Amino acid sequence: MDASLAPTTRLPIGSDADLAWVRQEVRQAAAAIGFGLVQQTKLVTAASELARNTLVHGGGGYMEMWLMQDGRTRGLRLSFVDSGPGIRDIELAMTDGYSTGGGLGLGLSGAKRLVQELVVESRPGHGTTVTVTDWPPGLPAPRTGAS
Amino acid sequence: MTAASAGQGDSVPVLALGDVLLITLRGELHDGEAERLQYDITHRIAHNPVPVGGVVIDISGVEIVDSFLGRVLSEIAASARLLATGTVLAGMRPAVAMTLVELGLTLPGLDTALDVGRALALLGRAPSGSSPAHAEEGA
C-alpha cells in the first residue's frame, strides 16, 4: 500500500508558459526525492507530453502533484486533469502514431513508456484525467511496455 | 521562478560562424519560441548574404526534448534541406537521448554530433586549431 505524503501542489495548464512551469516543478520535485538524472528526464518529458495534451486536446486544465510514500521509499504521482471533450477510445488513443491534434501521436503512448504507471480515466463530454506514478528504480511497479 | 516571467517575445539568436548558422538553445523553450525559431532559421537561410553552408543547433543546454520540440527540430532540418542546407544537432545530453529512444521519437533528416566542434567538422568546416583532441565533459 502506498500513501500520499505531502500536500498537493496544483498548477494551472492554460498556456505554453504553463507547460514550462510544469516541467520545472516536476524536475525540482523529482530531484528533491532523489530520482537520478535519467529518471528525472523521463518523468519530466512524460509530464511535458501529458501537460500539452491537457492544453491542446482538453482545452486547458491543471496538474496536481503528490509526494508518495511506500515504506521508506518516496515516489511522485502526477495527475493531469481537463474538462474537455474526453477520449472515446482510450485503447486507440494509446496507439503509437494515433493523433487527433496534428502531432506525432506519441503523447500518451510515449509517456506511458517513460513512467512506471500510467492510468487514463475519461468520460466523453466530461474530460480526461491522466495519472502517472513513478518510484525510484528497483521498486514494486513493473515498467510498462518493456519486454 | 523564471518560467512564468520568461517573455513570450524573446527569440533565440541565430549567429553566423563563417557560412554556418549556429543556434544555441538553453533551458526552457516555450512552444511558441520553438515555432518562431523554425521561421527565423528558414528565412535566414533564404536571405543570407552568402550561401549558408550548414546549420548547427546546439542543444547541450537543453534538459528535455519532448515530441513537440523533436518535431520542430525535424521540420527545421526538412526546411533547411529543401533550401539546400544540412542541419546538425549538437550536444544532446545522454539522458535526453535515452528518453527519446523510449518515447519512440526519431529525428529524421537530422545529423547529430557530440559537440559543436564535431558538428562543424561534419559540415567540413572545422575551425582551424580549435578542436581539442579530447573534448571531455566539464573541460
Side-chain angles (χ1 to χ4, degrees):
Chain A
M1 286 307 272
D2 51 52
S4 130
L5 242 197
T8 297
T9 306
R10 183 169 164 148
L11 297 173
I13 300 172
S15 70
D16 63 354
D18 290 338
L19 300 188
W21 187 246
V22 163
R23 289 192 289 261
Q24 286 194 356
E25 290 286 319
V26 173
R27 161 87 62 187
Q28 279 175 18
I33 64 170
F35 282 9
L37 187 57
V38 172
Q39 191 178 14
Q40 281 177 41
T41 305
K42 288 181 181 179
L43 181 61
V44 174
T45 305
S48 187
E49 300 291 344
L50 297 174
R52 187 173 290 101
N53 281 354
T54 299
L55 181 63
V56 173
H57 300 291
Y62 59 89
M63 180 192 79
E64 280 182 324
M65 176 160 64
W66 295 270
L67 195 53
M68 307 294 288
Q69 180 95 42
D70 181 0
R72 280 191 216 157
T73 310
R74 290 191 296 174
L76 271 186
R77 175 166 289 169
L78 312 172
S79 277
F80 297 84
V81 183
D82 68 59
S83 48
I87 302 172
R88 288 195 183 279
D89 186 340
I90 292 176
E91 208 172 311
L92 179 62
M94 294 296 299
T95 310
D96 268 353
Y98 178 78
S99 170
T100 55
L104 297 171
L106 289 173
L108 261 187
S109 56
K112 189 175 171 69
R113 285 191 292 270
L114 294 174
V115 296
Q116 287 161 357
E117 187 189 317
L118 183 147
V119 177
V120 182
E121 297 160 279
S122 189
R123 279 205 301 152
H126 293 87
T128 301
T129 298
V130 181
T131 301
V132 300
T133 312
D134 221 10
W135 300 92
L139 259 173
R143 204 165 76 169
T144 51
S147 53
Chain B
M1 307 299 279
T2 54
S5 59
Q8 293 283 335
D10 295 351
S11 65
V12 179
V14 179
L15 304 177
L17 204 64
D19 65 348
V20 172
L21 301 181
L22 173 64
I23 296 95
T24 302
L25 304 183
R26 299 210 163 278
E28 286 289 347
L29 198 65
H30 294 185
D31 293 2
E33 291 166 353
E35 285 177 331
R36 183 161 153 192
L37 181 66
Q38 183 176 3
Y39 178 89
D40 288 348
I41 293 176
T42 310
H43 273 250
R44 186 71 180 267
I45 294 169
H47 299 112
N48 210 50
V50 296
V52 171
V55 176
V56 175
I57 304 176
D58 178 12
I59 59 164
S60 59
V62 173
E63 291 182 337
I64 74 147
V65 175
D66 61 14
S67 63
F68 180 87
L69 183 54
R71 189 189 77 196
V72 169
L73 292 171
S74 283
E75 288 180 359
I76 288 172
S79 306
R81 170 55 55 209
L82 289 173
L83 297 171
T85 301
T87 303
V88 183
L89 197 60
M92 182 183 293
R93 297 180 179 198
V96 170
M98 294 169 72
T99 299
L100 286 183
V101 170
E102 283 202 21
L103 192 57
L105 190 67
T106 55
L107 299 172
L110 273 166
D111 285 323
T112 56
L114 287 178
D115 55 42
V116 171
R118 285 173 225 215
L120 291 172
L122 197 61
L123 292 166
R125 283 156 178 85
S128 55
S130 67
S131 66
H134 302 283
E136 296 294 339
E137 260 181 64

Coordinates of all heavy atoms in Angstrom, one line a residue, chain B residues 2 7 9 14 28-29 32 51-53 57 61-62 64 68 75 81 87 103 111 118 126 129 133:
Chain B
T2 N 11.4 31.4 -12.9 CA 11.6 32.2 -14.1 C 10.6 31.9 -15.2 O 10.4 32.7 -16.1 CB 13.0 32.0 -14.7 OG1 13.2 30.6 -14.8 CG2 14.1 32.5 -13.8
G7 N 9.7 36.1 -21.1 CA 8.9 36.8 -22.0 C 8.6 35.9 -23.3 O 9.4 35.2 -23.8
G9 N 8.1 37.2 -26.0 CA 8.7 37.9 -27.1 C 10.2 37.6 -27.3 O 10.8 38.0 -28.3
V14 N 20.3 33.7 -33.8 CA 20.9 32.9 -34.9 C 22.2 33.6 -35.2 O 22.2 34.7 -35.8 CB 20.0 32.8 -36.1 CG1 20.6 32.0 -37.2 CG2 18.6 32.2 -35.7
E28 N 14.5 26.4 -20.8 CA 13.1 26.1 -21.2 C 12.8 26.9 -22.5 O 12.8 28.1 -22.5 CB 12.2 26.6 -20.1 CG 12.2 25.6 -18.9 CD 11.5 24.3 -19.2 OE1 10.8 24.2 -20.2 OE2 11.6 23.4 -18.4
L29 N 12.4 26.2 -23.5 CA 12.0 26.8 -24.7 C 10.5 26.6 -24.8 O 10.0 25.5 -24.8 CB 12.6 26.1 -25.9 CG 12.7 26.8 -27.2 CD1 13.5 28.1 -27.2 CD2 13.3 25.9 -28.3
G32 N 5.9 28.3 -28.5 CA 5.8 29.4 -29.4 C 7.2 29.9 -29.9 O 7.4 30.2 -31.1
P51 N 25.8 32.2 -49.3 CA 25.0 30.9 -49.2 C 25.4 30.2 -47.9 O 26.5 30.1 -47.5 CB 25.5 30.1 -50.4 CG 26.1 31.1 -51.4 CD 26.6 32.3 -50.6
V52 N 24.4 29.7 -47.2 CA 24.6 29.1 -45.9 C 25.1 27.7 -46.2 O 24.6 26.9 -46.9 CB 23.3 29.0 -45.1 CG1 23.4 28.2 -43.9 CG2 22.8 30.5 -44.8
G53 N 26.3 27.4 -45.5 CA 26.9 26.1 -45.7 C 26.5 25.0 -44.7 O 26.9 23.9 -44.8
I57 N 22.6 23.3 -34.6 CA 21.7 23.6 -33.4 C 22.3 22.9 -32.2 O 22.4 21.7 -32.1 CB 20.3 23.1 -33.7 CG1 19.7 23.7 -34.9 CG2 19.4 23.5 -32.5 CD1 18.3 23.3 -35.3
G61 N 22.5 22.7 -23.7 CA 21.9 23.3 -22.6 C 20.4 23.0 -22.4 O 19.8 23.6 -21.6
V62 N 20.0 22.0 -23.2 CA 18.5 21.6 -23.1 C 18.3 20.4 -22.3 O 19.0 19.4 -22.5 CB 18.0 21.4 -24.5 CG1 16.6 20.9 -24.5 CG2 18.1 22.7 -25.3
I64 N 15.3 18.7 -21.5 CA 14.4 17.7 -22.1 C 14.0 18.1 -23.5 O 13.9 19.3 -23.9 CB 13.1 17.5 -21.3 CG1 12.1 18.7 -21.5 CG2 13.4 17.3 -19.8 CD1 10.7 18.2 -21.4
F68 N 7.0 17.5 -29.1 CA 6.8 18.8 -29.8 C 8.1 19.4 -30.3 O 8.3 19.8 -31.5 CB 6.1 19.8 -28.9 CG 5.8 21.1 -29.6 CD1 4.7 21.3 -30.3 CD2 6.7 22.2 -29.5 CE1 4.4 22.5 -31.0 CE2 6.5 23.4 -30.1 CZ 5.4 23.5 -30.9
E75 N 11.5 19.5 -38.5 CA 10.9 20.3 -39.5 C 11.9 21.4 -39.9 O 11.9 21.8 -41.1 CB 9.6 20.9 -39.1 CG 8.5 19.9 -39.0 CD 7.1 20.4 -38.6 OE1 7.0 21.6 -38.3 OE2 6.2 19.6 -38.6
R81 N 16.9 21.5 -45.6 CA 17.2 20.5 -46.7 C 16.6 21.0 -48.0 O 17.3 21.0 -49.1 CB 16.8 19.1 -46.3 CG 16.8 18.1 -47.4 CD 18.2 17.9 -48.1 NE 19.2 17.7 -47.1 CZ 20.5 18.0 -47.2 NH1 20.9 18.7 -48.3 NH2 21.4 17.7 -46.3
T87 N 21.5 20.2 -41.7 CA 21.4 20.6 -40.3 C 22.0 19.6 -39.4 O 21.8 18.4 -39.6 CB 19.9 20.8 -39.9 OG1 19.3 21.7 -40.8 CG2 19.8 21.2 -38.5
L103 N 10.6 7.2 -25.8 CA 9.5 7.9 -26.3 C 9.1 7.4 -27.7 O 7.9 7.5 -28.1 CB 9.8 9.4 -26.3 CG 8.7 10.4 -26.5 CD1 7.6 10.3 -25.5 CD2 9.3 11.8 -26.5
D111 N 21.3 15.2 -38.8 CA 22.6 14.6 -38.4 C 22.9 15.0 -37.0 O 22.4 16.1 -36.5 CB 23.7 15.0 -39.3 CG 23.6 14.4 -40.7 OD1 23.3 13.2 -40.7 OD2 23.9 15.0 -41.7
R118 N 32.6 19.1 -33.4 CA 32.4 18.0 -34.3 C 31.3 18.2 -35.3 O 31.4 17.7 -36.4 CB 32.1 16.8 -33.4 CG 33.4 16.2 -32.7 CD 33.0 15.1 -31.8 NE 33.7 15.3 -30.5 CZ 34.2 14.4 -29.8 NH1 34.0 13.1 -30.1 NH2 34.8 14.7 -28.7
A126 N 35.6 22.6 -40.0 CA 36.3 22.6 -38.7 C 37.1 23.9 -38.5 O 37.9 24.3 -39.3 CB 37.2 21.4 -38.6
G129 N 42.7 24.7 -35.7 CA 43.4 24.8 -34.5 C 42.6 24.9 -33.2 O 43.1 24.9 -32.1
A133 N 41.6 17.5 -29.1 CA 41.7 16.1 -29.5 C 40.8 15.3 -28.5 O 40.2 14.3 -28.9 CB 43.1 15.6 -29.4

